[in-house]
Amino acid sequence: AGKNFDQAVALQPENAELYYERGLNYYELNQKQAAKKDFTKAIEIDAKYIKAYLARGDVYSDLADPEKAYNDYSQALSLNDKYPDTYIHWGNFRLKNNDVTGAFADFNKAIALEPDNASAYNYRGNANLERGFWQDAIKDYTKAISINSEYAL
């Protein structure tokens, strides 16, 4: 897949989506620096590319650079505060940084914006586990599975 992305980027060097997709591929391969570089390039091409800000924020979070992660998540939120995935990324960042209450609020916001977002229920289930609310976690996981059976795995 990597060679295909490289060829596509060579043919369309101003296509932000290609850099973003290649960055996701690098991220999945745990090549965080390469992923960060591609997400940054996608943002340079399209300064309003919310998904690239969120993905780069995840990289910064993984690389233990919470200030840069915070900045990217904030930028994504400023571009569109109605995009549920922004709150999911924020929530995961907060959960990782021991702000369980903030994470829970973010997942609730994502669910309010998109009630059938299985990912939001799954992550809210994680937040409920952290809070010690086992029954609520089970309800959230069950809801996530009812929306998308892949969460049963």
Side-chain angles (χ1 to χ4, degrees), residues 34-90:
K36 181 177 72 170
K37 182 179 176 184
D38 274 357
F39 297 142
T40 299
K41 183 64 176 176
I43 292 165
E44 288 171 1
I45 295 168
D46 180 357
K48 295 182 179 183
Y49 200 162
I50 294 171
K51 289 181 180 182
Y53 283 106
L54 295 173
R56 190 174 70 176
D58 292 345
V59 170
Y60 284 132
S61 179
D62 291 348
L63 295 175
D65 194 339
E67 184 176 328
K68 287 183 179 176
Y70 178 90
N71 290 341
D72 276 351
Y73 297 141
S74 294
Q75 182 63 30
L77 189 61
S78 74
L79 290 169
N80 183 353
D81 66 352
K82 303 288 189 237
Y83 184 56
D85 285 359
T86 301
Y87 295 97
I88 293 171
H89 286 260
W90 260 117

Side-chain angles (χ1 to χ4, degrees), residues 77 80-88 105-117 120-121:
L77 189 61
N80 183 353
D81 66 352
K82 303 288 189 237
Y83 184 56
D85 285 359
T86 301
Y87 295 97
I88 293 171
D106 286 333
F107 300 136
N108 280 339
K109 181 70 173 177
I111 291 166
L113 290 168
E114 187 178 354
D116 287 334
N117 188 316
Y121 283 101

Side-chain angles (χ1 to χ4, degrees), residues 4 15 22 38 47-48 66 75 153:
N4 292 340
N15 185 326
R22 186 172 71 175
D38 274 357
K48 295 182 179 183
Q75 182 63 30
L153 304 176

